[in-house]
Amino acid sequence: YYLYLTLFTVLTLTAAMQEFEPTHEMYGPNAAGVFRGMFEIIFLLLNVYYWQYEVRQLYIEKWDYFQSIWNYMDMIGYTLVWATIPLRFVNNDAEWPLLAVLALILWFKALAFTLGFRSVGIFVIMIFGICKDITKFMFILVGIILGFAHADYLLYRGINDAYRFVPL
């Protein structure tokens, strides 16, 4: 899995640092284009392997498969890889938000692998526990912020006509 994550990181960072938009032209006849193409092929082959593993696991476990959040993250992650490929070749900027979500999913899964190590696993468990607690707090905070934002909008909407027709 760490080879998969490393290839994804290298491929996305090199594409993001290029001066031109990532398209099929980045697989040119130069050495960088050849290596990039080879890395991408290896990455896609690993993606096929992991994706078929998840499908096989779904077939074996049936409804029990959907009991773990990690299975959802795996399926979404491996499917997002396939969703970004056509976007790259049509020069669609929607590729980048999908790759950003994919990066988060893959790095969180890398954290999940560290749960098996005694020295690091306890910290990962603590981080996940903190995230659960923060989620409850964030719902309360968002509700308070939305309430104040709504009240401020109602109070100050007549003061400046330039902001009257700003869409929400």
Side-chain angles (χ1 to χ4, degrees):
Y1 180 79
Y2 286 107
L3 173 65
Y4 181 79
L5 181 62
T6 303
L7 285 173
F8 172 76
T9 303
V10 167
L11 289 170
T12 54
L13 290 180
T14 56
M17 289 188 266
Q18 289 178 345
E19 294 178 12
F20 57 89
E21 285 296 314
T23 62
H24 60 281
E25 297 167 359
M26 64 184 162
Y27 304 107
N30 57 5
V34 170
F35 279 115
R36 180 170 178 77
M38 287 185 346
F39 284 163
E40 190 134 1
I41 288 170
I42 294 169
F43 175 73
L44 291 176
L45 288 173
L46 285 172
N47 194 64
V48 167
Y49 170 77
Y50 287 124
W51 196 79
Q52 68 86 20
Y53 179 80
E54 290 299 318
V55 170
R56 190 166 19 119
Q57 188 178 356
L58 173 65
Y59 179 74
I60 292 169
E61 294 181 14
K62 309 259 186 284
W63 290 105
D64 290 336
Y65 178 83
F66 297 105
Q67 301 300 317
S68 173
I69 187 90
W70 297 110
N71 290 333
Y72 287 105
M73 290 178 66
D74 290 342
M75 272 302 223
I76 290 170
Y78 301 138
T79 305
L80 278 177
V81 170
W82 297 115
T84 60
I85 293 171
L87 295 175
R88 181 176 316 128
F89 288 101
V90 295
N91 285 342
N92 192 330
D93 286 335
E95 173 188 14
W96 294 106
L98 291 178
L99 288 174
V101 169
L102 180 58
L104 285 174
I105 289 172
L106 293 179
W107 281 102
F108 274 122
K109 184 173 179 187
L111 274 180
F113 280 123
T114 62
L115 288 171
F117 297 104
R118 180 175 290 182
S119 60
V120 183
I122 189 69
F123 295 114
V124 175
I125 291 171
M126 284 183 353
I127 289 172
F128 288 147
I130 290 169
C131 288
K132 285 180 185 177
D133 293 339
I134 288 175
T135 303
K136 297 170 189 170
F137 171 74
M138 291 304 288
F139 278 119
I140 294 169
L141 183 64
V142 166
I144 292 170
I145 290 173
L146 286 176
F148 274 101
H150 186 203
D152 286 344
Y153 179 76
L154 293 175
L155 283 175
Y156 298 116
R157 67 173 258 187
I159 291 179
N160 190 348
D161 287 337
Y163 297 110
R164 182 172 293 249
F165 298 108
V166 175
L168 293 178

